[in-house]
Structures are given as structure tokens and as C-alpha cells.
Amino acid sequence: MEYKVKIDAFEGPLDLLLHLIKKFEIDIYDIPVAEITDQYLDFIHHMQKLELNIASEYLLMAATLIAMKSRMLLPRPELSTGEENDTYEDPEQAREALMQQLIDYRKFKDAAATLKNNEQARLQLFAKPASDLTAYEHNDLKNMPLSGRATVGDMVRAFQRLLLRVKLEKPLNTKIDRQILPIGQQMTSVMQKLKTADHALSFKNICPYPDRTHLIVTFLALLELMKMNAIVCLQKDNFDDILINLGEGADHFEAGENSFNY
Amino acid sequence: MKPEKIRSIIEGLLYLTGEEGVLIEQINKVLPECTPQEIIHSVTRMKQEYEANESSGLMIADFPNGYRLTTKPFIAKYAERFAVIPKAAPLSQAALETVAIIAYKQPVSRIAIEEIRGVKSERALQTLVVKGLIKEVGRAEGSGRAILYGITPVFFDYFGLHDLSELPPLSEIMRDQNEQIDAYDLFYDQYKETIKDL
Amino acid sequence: MKPEKIRSIIEGLLYLTGEEGVLIEQINKVLPECTPQEIIHSVTRMKQEYEANESSGLMIADFPNGYRLTTKPFIAKYAERFAVIPKAAPLSQAALETVAIIAYKQPVSRIAIEEIRGVKSERALQTLVVKGLIKEVGRAEGSGRAILYGITPVFFDYFGLHDLSELPPLSEIMRDQNEQIDAYDLFYDQYKETIKDL
């Protein structure tokens, strides 16, 4: 007989027994104790030969099965009239109990399979993080009821969600960071924006995307465009918003998408 | 209030609350002039519209007494191209069995769970508590005063269930032997995945 | 790819990126088989549909090279009503995240908090200060002299704690996270870097 299944694949002795029952097409309602015991021990021995660690639960079940099997081979002792023999364990009862245990366990295993399907379906559904509504909240101490307040658990869960979210955003930014900075592309985009607007635009208007890489690329693009006289920058006073307008060289502007890559 | 307006406000709230979702009761507080029935009716229609609309990537998912706007399952593939979405690792087999037992038998002690599963279940319980799927709901009487566990609202959310009645009754699983064997095959397939020639 | 499918995928991405918005270029990476023109065309149509649809509370706003899904202006009134509903957990996700960072990392500046959260946290800090859960505990050295925040006795009272040692250790909070990522995540190292500092 071949053993191709590792013991790790089982959740415990009951799980292993269910596997053997299925594999050898045994009727769970009429378990042949001798046969199942032999198969179980055979499996365990193979695992031991491979020097795999067998959890104590498996060995305990082995002992139980052996005890059951040997008792079934012995004749049932005659009970002296009027006196119950407390030490005698009816192997038939033990077999019934094991059957019931296996059936119960299988029920929950099936229920777990249903839950697993639900879980799979649910893991396919994504949602955005909740919007920050603090802007709408009234910052009022009276608004903080003592009953139904947040628990440490709420805080910990919020923190875990945060860690997941950070992870969600991190790789994305990294991807943008890693790509070649498309300054040429950004130059084209700035020129397009200025031409469409037909008036001076502030730096904020040109690059409101709050991403550092983006700001830097846009800034570099502006510097290149200034050098080409394609744009002019105006600032009325120190710290005033810088306004950007089309320059004399605007009509001659032509930047390949791939030029000016750093 | 016009049904169109009701729908638009609920849609707005669904968007704003995102993954946290919104309770019927909360919608009702925002729209006191509507009855809960009107709200449920409006969401139900919106849900059907989203579902029927091939060109929409959104859908409305239920959780107990509330709703959540999510992307449709087929979007998952594209969302993953967009960002490394933290694949919430699915629960282990041990954790799934343990939470199934708790769902059907709550309140239930660790010992009772271990008796059914035939193995130690401490780690599985710990994982489930940390994930918020189960919690301590009381103490058993008697000397040990063992902790009793029950499921939490997060359980329903995690498995996309409204309430326990959506779980197949345990007795029914019992009745239909053939179905049971099919379900068992599913598990067997998983075993095969771990098969290695020894 | 069918226009309906393109639209649905873009809608899904718009929803998932929420207030952050998504760049045409990013959409293009998810849908390399489409030209930027096709993408712009699809979003423009979607935008018109949302606008014309009286029963939708959502709209698409432009920003340079990208789009953002947001609620229509009239929803603000209802968002306000929603925000003041006493919640089961009366602190918002934003406030809870912020106070958690402060509890574990105090004294800590706004900038440091924003670096961890990846979003502006001024409002959340303000809320927490007004509620008395956190307070200014000093100033950072250096030119900026940024305000440093720490937790207050109200914090302990509010969360029913005696002292900080009763908070679950960070390692425990993260173990669950790490279990989830271990096998899956290519960015695990980066992630560790992010949380190492906490």
C-alpha cells in the first residue's frame, strides 16, 4: 500500500480516520474496528519510519483503537447477577462512540467547507477605505458618550487596517518611483494645459496631484520649458503663488515622450 | 422625497462609508422622513440595477442590518494589477473548523471544541479572537469557569452572511449522504495538493 | 475588450482609489490593451452618465491626468447628518488610527503620524485634542520645532486602561498581519520597514 499523503495534511486523528474511511470505502455507520485499526497503525508506522513527528493525539487514538480491537477479540465476561461490572468497557459502545464522534466531526468539517466557499467569495470583493468624515463632525466633548465608546479592540483593529492600507499604497508609490521619470511627457502635458487654459496658471493648478514624485517631475518639466523659452514664470511678490504662462518659444515646443528621461 | 433622491443619497453614503459599510438604521437617521421599508426597497433595487448593469464594476454586498459598496468579483483581477492588494490570507483549515463549531454550538468552551475536533485548538482560537471573528461571551458554570466563545458581527461580515439561518442546518448536512461525500471530495482534492512522493 | 467591460473596470478602480483618485496612466497600466484615448473616452461618457443620472449621488471630478470618484455636492448635507450620528464606536477610523499611533509612539509629531498613515491627519488630531484624548507634550528639536503629541489621562479613562502596558504589544498586533503576508507578499521587506519604526 502506498502512502502519498503527508500527515500534515490532516487536522488530527479524526480527520485521518475519515480519510481512511473514504479511501477504503468503509461504511461509517458500520466501521470494522479491526480493519480500520490496522490501516490507521500502518499509516502511523510509515510516518514514524520517515522520522516525522507524530503529534501525541495521533498516538492516543492509536492506543484507543488497539484497546478497542483487542477487547472485541475477547469474549464478553459473564456478569454475575445483580452486580454491574464497572471496569468493563463494552467495545460495542466504544465503537458507537467513535462512530458518533466521526459523524459529528464530519458535519463540522462540511460546515467549514461551506464557510470556506463563503470566505473565497468574500475575499474577491474590495472596497475603498471609509472617507474621513471628521470634517463634518462637531468637535464637541458632549458628543462623546460614555456608553458605546470605542474599545481597545476597535483601536487595535483600526491600527491593523491602517497597516494593511499602508501596504496597499506603498507598492503603488514604489511602482511610480521606479519607472523612468517621464519628464518629456509631463512637459507636453503642461504645454497642453496652458494652451487649453489660454491664460496663466498657478503651479498648484498645473500639479495638484499631491504626490512627491509628481511634483518633482512637474517642477523639472517646468525648468526645461523655461530653458526653451516655451513658458515664462511670474511672481509678483516673495512667497506669492508662481504663475506660469506660455512663452515666446511656445509654438516651437516639441518634446518627444521619451526625451529628458533621467 | 422622490425615490430618485432617496437612491442618490443612499448611494452617496455607501460611497463615503466604503469598506465600513452603512447600517439601515444609520441611513434612517440621515433620512428620517423615510421608513426602513422604503430604504430597504431602495437599496434592493439599486443592488439589482448594479448587478444587471454589465458596464458597472460595482455591487452592493450585505452584512447584518446593513450594506457595503464593493467592486464585483471580476474586478479583483484588475485591482490586483493596480496595486498589490493585501490578500487577506484565508483562514487555516483548523481555524475554519473551529469557527464552524462555534457558529453552530455557541456558547462553547475550548474543551468542547477540542473534543469534537480531536486536537488542540488553542492556536486556532487565538487567531480567531485576534481577527475579531469570535469573542469571549461568558464563563461556564462549575469549578473550571471555562471561557465560553461565541461569534461576533465580524463573523457575518467575513463570511458575507446576513445571519446564521444562511448557514446550512447541520442536520441537513447529515440527511443527504451523497452531498456529504461530494463535499468531502473537495477536501480530498486539497489533500492531493499536498501530496508528495515519499 | 468590450466598451462595457472597460467602463466597468475603470469604475471599479475609481471606486477603490476613492478620494485619492487615479491617473489615466495608472488605468492604462491595468488595461494595457486600451489606448489612453479609449480610456479618456470611456471616463468622459461615464462622467456624463453620472451627471445626467438624477438618482445617482456620485460624480467624477477631473484632476490633471486623472479622475476622482466623489459624491455630488448636495450629498454634503447628508454626510454631515451622518457624521453626527453617535456611532457604536464614536471615534472615526481616522481618529482611531491616529490615537493608536500616538499611544504606541508618543511623543510624536503630526508629520511622523502622516508619514505612517499616508494621509493628512490634521483634522483627526484636532478632534482628538478637542476630545481631550491627546495633548501637546512638547516641541521637537530643530528648526521646525514641531508640536509633539502624547496621550492624556482621558485616553486611559476612555479606553478603560490603567496604563500603557495593558495595550496589546505591537508585536502581537503585527503577528496576525505577518501571518497573512508571509508567503504571499513580495513587498514584505518594505512592509517591515514601514512598521519597524512604529
Side-chain angles (χ1 to χ4, degrees):
Chain A
M1 177 167 137
E2 269 185 286
Y3 291 94
K4 289 193 170 181
V5 184
K6 284 167 75 177
I7 197 125
D8 301 2
F10 300 103
E11 281 300 318
L14 293 175
D15 203 14
L16 173 53
L17 278 175
L18 284 180
H19 167 72
L20 295 173
I21 284 168
K22 187 185 158 63
K23 180 163 179 162
F24 297 104
E25 292 171 344
I26 290 168
D27 179 3
I28 196 169
Y29 295 98
D30 185 24
I31 299 169
V33 172
E35 191 190 335
I36 197 86
T37 302
D38 293 346
Q39 273 146 8
Y40 186 91
L41 292 178
D42 209 13
F43 192 100
I44 296 288
H45 282 151
H46 267 84
M47 294 300 132
Q48 278 177 329
K49 249 188 244 163
L50 291 163
E51 295 178 21
L52 294 173
N53 272 332
I54 309 277
S56 57
E57 289 108 349
Y58 288 95
L59 301 178
L60 184 66
M61 176 60 79
T64 309
L65 287 172
I66 293 166
M68 209 191 302
K69 181 183 166 189
S70 51
R71 256 190 243 105
M72 287 193 124
L73 298 174
L74 295 173
R76 192 189 166 96
E78 297 283 327
L79 290 180
S80 51
T81 43
E83 202 185 319
E84 286 279 326
N85 189 339
D86 286 341
T87 53
Y88 177 71
E89 280 178 48
D90 186 348
E92 215 24 73
Q93 265 175 24
R95 192 174 81 123
E96 281 274 306
L98 179 66
M99 179 192 90
Q100 198 51 53
Q101 209 184 357
L102 283 170
I103 288 169
D104 279 349
Y105 175 61
R106 194 165 71 175
K107 279 193 293 189
F108 289 109
K109 217 165 135 55
D110 291 342
T114 308
L115 289 180
K116 196 178 177 65
N117 286 337
N118 277 16
E119 181 190 45
Q120 286 307 322
R122 181 71 185 74
L123 289 179
Q124 290 298 103
L125 307 183
F126 297 134
K128 79 185 236 309
S131 302
D132 186 358
L133 294 177
T134 38
Y136 299 111
E137 276 172 18
H138 298 295
N139 292 329
D140 188 352
L141 257 182
K142 275 173 271 164
N143 241 359
M144 202 167 71
L146 285 183
S147 62
R149 53 188 169 185
T151 63
V152 172
D154 292 327
M155 186 169 68
V156 167
R157 267 191 292 285
F159 197 55
Q160 287 180 327
R161 275 203 293 268
L162 159 69
L163 294 177
L164 278 179
R165 200 188 62 222
V166 166
K167 236 173 62 59
L168 180 103
E169 284 162 4
K170 252 270 146 45
L172 180 60
N173 290 338
T174 311
K175 270 184 213 155
I176 295 172
D177 285 343
R178 277 192 192 150
Q179 84 192 21
I180 304 163
L181 300 179
I183 290 181
Q185 196 183 311
Q186 196 60 11
M187 285 164 69
T188 313
S189 148
V190 168
M191 291 305 284
Q192 266 169 2
K193 242 172 269 163
L194 285 169
K195 281 176 180 162
T196 329
D198 210 24
H199 57 78
L201 291 173
S202 72
F203 185 72
K204 232 193 289 172
N205 280 333
I206 282 177
C207 190
Y209 194 69
D211 171 90
R212 210 174 57 178
T213 312
H214 239 78
L215 289 171
I216 294 170
V217 172
T218 309
F219 189 67
L220 290 174
L222 289 176
L223 290 179
E224 289 294 341
L225 288 169
M226 277 169 78
K227 234 168 45 188
M228 296 163 72
N229 276 329
I231 58 163
V232 286
C233 293
L234 309 159
Q235 193 182 28
K236 277 188 186 153
D237 278 306
N238 278 350
F239 308 116
D240 262 13
D241 221 354
I242 297 173
L243 290 176
I244 298 135
N245 212 342
L246 293 172
E248 285 168 11
D251 293 337
H252 309 294
F253 169 76
E254 208 178 308
E257 291 281 297
N258 294 314
S259 53
F260 304 105
N261 283 333
Y262 289 67
Chain B
M1 198 179 268
K2 282 205 308 186
E4 287 82 9
K5 180 116 194 217
I6 296 173
R7 187 197 177 283
S8 69
I9 294 164
I10 297 176
E11 193 178 46
L13 290 177
L14 280 168
Y15 170 80
L16 290 173
T17 51
E19 65 184 2
E20 277 175 24
V22 61
L23 298 169
I24 296 165
E25 184 197 321
Q26 290 172 326
I27 301 173
N28 208 178
K29 286 210 178 104
V30 172
L31 296 172
E33 55 270 64
C34 297
T35 63
Q37 284 66 41
E38 282 177 289
I39 291 167
I40 293 169
H41 180 73
S42 180
V43 183
T44 310
R45 274 200 53 184
M46 200 188 320
K47 202 169 153 175
Q48 286 159 356
E49 283 162 19
Y50 271 126
E51 236 152 77
N53 185 355
E54 211 197 329
S55 61
S56 172
L58 305 180
M59 60 173 271
I60 294 172
D62 299 304
F63 62 88
N65 307 316
Y67 306 95
R68 175 192 289 120
L69 191 63
T70 73
T71 51
K72 285 180 182 163
F74 79 89
I75 296 289
K77 193 171 114 194
Y78 302 96
E80 276 155 14
R81 279 193 209 165
F82 179 73
V84 179
I85 300 233
K87 272 215 178 77
L91 292 174
S92 66
Q93 183 60 27
L96 279 169
E97 287 179 11
T98 305
V99 81
I101 292 168
I102 296 171
Y104 283 104
K105 282 192 90 101
Q106 63 175 343
V108 59
S109 70
R110 177 174 59 81
I111 304 290
I113 294 165
E114 289 178 348
E115 258 164 31
I116 292 171
R117 295 192 58 228
V119 282
K120 290 249 171 286
S121 306
E122 223 162 324
R123 253 190 82 82
L125 281 168
Q126 211 183 348
T127 305
L128 293 167
V129 169
V130 172
K131 292 207 175 212
L133 295 172
I134 61 165
K135 65 171 183 199
E136 197 181 319
V137 290
R139 294 276 177 162
E141 288 181 25
S143 60
R145 312 261 308 126
I147 298 173
L148 297 175
Y149 294 96
I151 51 173
T152 68
V154 179
F155 169 89
F156 294 101
D157 187 16
Y158 186 83
F159 292 107
L161 299 168
H162 254 127
D163 52 59
L164 278 182
S165 71
E166 283 181 68
L167 282 180
L170 270 192
S171 53
E172 217 161 85
I173 299 178
M174 285 284 293
R175 224 175 290 144
D176 197 337
Q177 273 301 114
N178 294 330
E179 241 178 49
Q180 198 176 3
I181 284 163
D182 285 344
Y184 196 75
D185 278 337
L186 261 177
F187 275 96
Y188 191 61
D189 288 341
Q190 284 160 17
Y191 290 154
K192 282 196 291 196
E193 277 172 33
T194 62
I195 281 178
K196 270 184 198 144
D197 283 307
L198 294 175
Chain C
M1 198 180 271
K2 284 204 305 186
E4 288 82 10
K5 181 122 193 215
I6 295 173
R7 188 198 178 281
S8 68
I9 293 164
I10 298 176
E11 191 178 47
L13 291 180
L14 277 168
Y15 171 66
L16 289 177
T17 51
E19 282 82 10
E20 290 271 308
V22 61
L23 298 169
I24 296 166
E25 179 195 327
Q26 291 173 325
I27 301 174
N28 209 175
K29 273 196 198 127
V30 174
L31 295 172
E33 55 270 64
C34 295
T35 63
Q37 283 65 43
E38 281 177 290
I39 292 167
I40 293 169
H41 180 73
S42 180
V43 183
T44 310
R45 275 199 53 184
M46 201 189 317
K47 200 168 151 179
Q48 287 159 355
E49 283 163 19
Y50 270 123
E51 240 151 73
N53 185 357
E54 213 197 327
S55 62
S56 172
L58 305 179
M59 59 176 268
I60 294 172
D62 299 297
F63 62 88
N65 308 321
Y67 305 96
R68 179 189 296 129
L69 189 64
T70 142
T71 49
K72 284 180 182 163
F74 77 91
I75 296 290
K77 188 171 124 194
Y78 302 95
E80 219 167 287
R81 284 195 206 164
F82 177 80
V84 297
I85 299 172
K87 304 281 166 4
L91 288 177
S92 64
Q93 167 76 14
L96 281 170
E97 286 177 11
T98 307
V99 81
I101 292 167
I102 297 172
Y104 282 106
K105 225 187 131 86
Q106 64 172 347
V108 58
S109 70
R110 177 175 59 80
I111 304 290
I113 293 165
E114 289 178 350
E115 253 162 38
I116 294 168
R117 292 193 58 222
V119 288
K120 289 250 172 283
S121 306
E122 225 163 323
R123 289 246 173 225
L125 281 168
Q126 205 187 335
T127 305
L128 291 167
V129 169
V130 173
K131 292 196 188 229
L133 294 170
I134 61 164
K135 64 172 184 200
E136 196 181 319
V137 293
R139 294 276 177 161
E141 288 181 22
S143 61
R145 313 261 309 127
I147 299 175
L148 297 174
Y149 295 95
I151 51 173
T152 67
V154 178
F155 170 89
F156 292 105
D157 186 33
Y158 184 80
F159 289 104
L161 298 168
H162 285 107
D163 55 63
L164 278 182
S165 69
E166 284 179 68
L167 279 180
L170 258 194
S171 55
E172 203 169 284
I173 295 178
M174 263 137 34
R175 188 181 47 204
D176 185 46
Q177 299 268 321
N178 293 346
E179 264 173 29
Q180 293 191 6
I181 335 160
D182 264 352
Y184 296 78
D185 196 87
L186 294 169
F187 293 88
Y188 185 49
D189 290 337
Q190 271 180 10
Y191 174 59
K192 278 198 294 201
E193 265 168 44
T194 317
I195 54 185
K196 179 182 66 184
D197 305 326
L198 297 184

